[in-house]
Structure formats: C-alpha cells, structure tokens
Amino acid sequence: QVRLVESGGDSVQPGGSLRLSCALSGFTFRDKYLAWFRQSPGKEREGVAGWSDNPSRTYYLPAVKYRFKISLDEATRTMYLEMKDLKPEDTAMYYCAADGYGLFVEDYKYWGQGTQVTVSS
C-alpha cells in the first residue's frame, strides 16, 4: 500500500525558511516522478517542484525557482522541499505526490494529506 506523509509545515515571517518532508512507503522510485504541489483557499492546486528518476532531473514553478529545492533521500525514503526567502504568496497547504508526470496535478496517482505553510508578519 502506497503511503505519503508530509510534515514540517509552520508559520514563519517573510524572508524565513522551512523544510518540508514527505515520508514515502510502498513505492519504488525507479522510472517515476515525484512532486510537491500547493493549494491556497480559492485557488487551484499548482505544482511547485518535481523530481524524476528517468530522466534524472528536477524542475520548478518559475515563481519558486532559486528559492525552493526538491530532493530525495532514497536511503530513508524521504522527499524534501527546502524553501527559503518565503513570501506571503507562498502561504498554502503543501502536498507531496507520487507516480505522475511533470507538474500536472491530474496525472498523479498518490497524494499525502498536506502540511500547512503560513508566511505572515
């Protein structure tokens, strides 16, 4: 059974940093895509960062490129989203997802329950 569990969400001031974690189980990474998405009230869910095994690459929403970094620790089966220079517009529920393609919400089969990030002074 595939299971994704996010953690690390918090309330921070603008300019602050956070690291989100996603513990993955029941899933093999080979030839698969993983991603982080976010959703704010009244807005559609959007992809912010993705990771693929084949081809080996990472990709980002332009608004977060150079501020967010996605990584995968295969030994601990944990995916991370390191976020710096956070802005109020980054406030959202963040979800990790597995077995999809790119940053296309509708393509992903497995989802976590979400972790809240709030950026406010």
Side-chain angles (χ1 to χ4, degrees):
Q1 181 182 358
V2 178
R3 190 163 181 242
L4 290 74
V5 180
E6 302 97 333
S7 61
D10 205 346
S11 295
V12 296
Q13 293 188 343
S17 301
L18 281 176
R19 187 177 76 164
L20 306 183
S21 301
C22 174
L24 303 110
S25 59
F27 183 79
T28 57
F29 306 120
R30 183 174 294 278
D31 298 328
K32 293 294 197 301
Y33 284 74
L34 304 172
W36 286 95
F37 292 82
R38 67 185 182 187
Q39 188 168 20
S40 314
K43 294 187 177 181
E44 293 186 353
R45 192 169 296 189
E46 64 177 355
V48 295
W51 175 96
S52 64
D53 173 62
N54 184 15
S56 178
R57 61 170 293 193
T58 57
Y59 35 96
Y60 298 90
L61 180 73
V64 307
K65 197 174 182 181
Y66 309 120
R67 297 190 298 121
F68 290 12
K69 180 181 178 182
I70 187 172
S71 61
L72 174 67
D73 184 333
E74 294 192 41
T76 62
R77 305 184 62 81
T78 305
M79 180 170 66
Y80 297 100
L81 183 68
E82 296 178 71
M83 307 183 292
K84 64 180 181 181
D85 191 21
L86 283 161
K87 306 175 186 299
E89 52 263 40
D90 295 318
T91 295
M93 185 71 79
Y94 283 72
Y95 300 89
C96 61
D99 198 3
Y101 180 75
L103 295 179
F104 299 102
V105 174
E106 62 274 13
D107 283 359
Y108 279 81
K109 185 182 296 185
Y110 305 108
W111 292 84
Q113 82 289 347
T115 187
Q116 179 68 39
V117 172
T118 302
V119 185
S120 173
S121 55

